[in-house]
């Protein structure tokens, strides 16, 4: 691309959620199966270190009410400009509009650039070319070919933090696409996430959906569909909700009654009626206890996930056994890998960016140690 860090700028449209203020153990649990592997690197470059890095660039951070951490400017561009200035002052040369094509026969790095093909033979390499989501911003996953050609095992790339595809009726699409579902809980295969989502014409997006990316992908691969359970009032236990619904409805419409008695927004009522129609039932005709159960356990059938080019991040990548404890490729001494190129997964909310920064720091430390060892062996 003609300029760097375009995906960081895209992330900044939502305020640039750099990290999260959760306690360490809760924070690490967000990485699921990757937590044991990532924990040492995140401990070496924890959220406080990332906040200090931003502050040192002149962009102090603040913690929002949700515990998420943002630059005080609530933008990515000031942080990026300060970062690029520092790199320039340190003598770093950035070469834009270049595409890495792998290694040449003599082991050099081969590139296509604006002036044609060229190659370089550096002392050490850190690959940090991103995943394959939002390819129009520069990262298209083209690195998988050169690494596979070099004998490096690469787990197929798949969308992560992507929307869930659900077959809504035309009415729901036309009337409620873009409407938020607030303070909900969503469950898939025993994994539950709480937060917010947005109804789209194709299904649902948002943090609570993204947090279940791994579970949804696994269910789709296993069963061809993923069954979600939507709790529209997780903040009320079933008995209390049933008690509220047991009062007289009077002449109120169903939507008005559910809004007043159960605190359901119009989009939540529409979802309840949507699933009722699909199943040929009328939840409002049953008793209060049954309706309360329905509101707290609404079934949704997911047929797929949004494509990779629309996902926030990528799962899959370089298989973890292919790198050593310092993130160096076992089959390519002196070549280190960082960020979304590696096979790990994380939800949005600061966890994804925090791990990317921590992996970058770990790869840099590995590269430094490798260079020092090379210099020592050569008596430099």
């Amino acid at each position: 691309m003609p300029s760097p860090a375009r995906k960081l700028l895209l992330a900044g449209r939502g305020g640039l959620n750099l990290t999260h203020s959760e306690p360490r153990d809760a924070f690490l649990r967000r990485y699921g199966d990757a937590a044991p592997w990532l924990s040492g690197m995140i401990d070496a470059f924890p959220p406080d270190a990332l906040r200090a890095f931003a502050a040192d660039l002149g962009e102090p951070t603040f913690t929002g009410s949700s515990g998420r951490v943002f630059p005080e400017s609530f933008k990515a561009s000031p942080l990026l400009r300060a970062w690029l200035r520092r790199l320039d002052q340190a003598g770093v040369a950035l070469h834009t509009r270049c595409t890495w094509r792998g290694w040449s026969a003599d082991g050099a790095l081969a590139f296509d650039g604006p002036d044609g093909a060229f190659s370089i033979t550096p002392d050490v390499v850190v690959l940090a070319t991103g995943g394959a989501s939002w390819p129009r911003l520069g990262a298209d996953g083209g690195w998988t070919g050169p690494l596979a050609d070099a004998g490096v095992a690469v787990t197929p790339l798949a969308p992560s933090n992507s929307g869930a595809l659900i077959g809504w009726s035309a009415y729901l699409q036309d009337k409620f696409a873009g409407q938020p579902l607030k303070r909900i809980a969503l469950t898939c295969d025993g994994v539950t996430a709480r937060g917010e989502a947005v109804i789209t014409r194709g299904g649902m997006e948002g943090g609570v959906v993204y947090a279940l990316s791994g579970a949804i992908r696994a269910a789709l691969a296993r069963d061809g569909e993923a069954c979600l359970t939507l709790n529209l009032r997780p903040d009320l236990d079933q008995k209390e909700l049933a008690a509220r619904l047991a009062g007289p409805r009077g002449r109120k419409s169903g939507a008005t009654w559910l809004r007043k008695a159960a605190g359901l927004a119009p989009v939540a009522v529409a979802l309840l009626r949507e699933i009722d129609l699909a199943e040929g039932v009328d939840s409002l005709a049953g008793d209060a206890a049954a309706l309360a159960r329905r509101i707290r356990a609404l079934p949704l059938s997911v047929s797929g996930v949004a494509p990779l080019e629309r996902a926030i991040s990528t799962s899959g990548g370089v298989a973890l056994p292919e790198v050593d404890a310092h993130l160096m490729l076992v089959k390519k001494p002196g070549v280190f890998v960082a960020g979304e190129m590696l096979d790990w997964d994380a939800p949005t909310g600061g966890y994804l960016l925090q791990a990317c920064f921590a992996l970058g720091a770990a790869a840099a430390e590995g590269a430094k140690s490798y260079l020092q060892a090379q210099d020592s062996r050569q008596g430099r």
Side-chain angles (χ1 to χ4, degrees), residues 280-342:
V281 300
D282 183 1
S283 297
L284 273 64
D287 60 28
L291 179 56
R293 286 194 298 272
R294 183 75 161 174
I295 289 171
R296 287 175 47 84
L298 198 62
L300 302 176
S301 178
V302 175
S303 60
V305 294
L308 192 52
E309 60 268 18
R310 292 291 299 172
I312 290 177
S313 60
T314 306
S315 69
V318 175
L320 301 185
E322 295 288 341
V323 295
D324 67 12
H326 304 288
L327 301 184
M328 185 174 74
L329 287 173
V330 176
K331 295 168 183 168
K332 281 284 184 180
V335 178
F336 297 78
V337 184
E340 278 191 66
M341 291 181 71
L342 290 155

Side-chain angles (χ1 to χ4, degrees), residues 142-234:
W143 50 267
T144 57
L147 285 177
D149 291 343
V152 176
V154 178
T155 305
L157 303 182
S160 181
N161 291 301
S162 58
L165 303 183
I166 303 171
W168 303 131
S169 67
Y171 168 78
L172 194 78
Q173 292 179 40
D174 294 340
K175 182 85 172 173
F176 292 100
Q179 292 292 309
L181 284 165
K182 298 186 177 182
R183 297 182 297 278
I184 62 171
L186 204 60
T187 300
C188 179
D189 273 2
V191 181
T192 299
R194 293 180 65 151
E196 298 185 1
V198 176
I199 298 296
T200 66
R201 296 191 71 86
M204 290 175 68
E205 293 187 4
V208 72
V209 180
Y210 303 153
L212 296 177
S213 286
I216 291 173
R217 283 198 312 271
L220 287 168
R222 183 187 66 237
D223 305 324
E225 68 171 351
C227 299
L228 306 184
T229 301
L230 172 61
N231 186 341
L232 293 167
R233 286 307 309 264

Side-chain angles (χ1 to χ4, degrees), residues 201-281:
R201 296 191 71 86
M204 290 175 68
E205 293 187 4
V208 72
V209 180
Y210 303 153
L212 296 177
S213 286
I216 291 173
R217 283 198 312 271
L220 287 168
R222 183 187 66 237
D223 305 324
E225 68 171 351
C227 299
L228 306 184
T229 301
L230 172 61
N231 186 341
L232 293 167
R233 286 307 309 264
D235 51 331
L236 284 179
D237 66 42
Q238 196 159 295
K239 286 184 178 180
E240 182 178 355
L241 181 58
R244 294 187 182 194
L245 293 167
R249 174 175 167 179
R251 298 171 62 87
K252 300 184 186 74
S253 68
T256 299
W257 177 57
L258 287 170
R259 177 174 59 82
K260 290 182 175 295
L264 297 186
V267 63
V269 174
L271 270 178
L272 181 66
R273 304 302 286 165
E274 173 94 355
I275 304 306
D276 275 4
L277 277 172
E279 296 184 352
V281 300

Side-chain angles (χ1 to χ4, degrees), residues 5-57:
R6 292 190 170 201
K7 196 171 181 186
L8 189 73
L9 292 175
L10 179 70
R13 291 184 182 179
L16 192 62
N17 182 191
L18 281 171
T19 187
H20 202 286
S21 61
E22 268 185 330
R24 176 188 179 275
D25 289 349
F27 190 98
L28 290 175
R29 281 196 294 272
R30 302 288 186 172
Y31 298 99
D33 293 342
W37 175 74
L38 282 168
S39 60
M41 287 174 277
I42 291 176
D43 284 342
F45 194 87
D48 284 348
L50 181 50
R51 299 185 71 171
F53 170 76
D56 194 46
L57 287 171

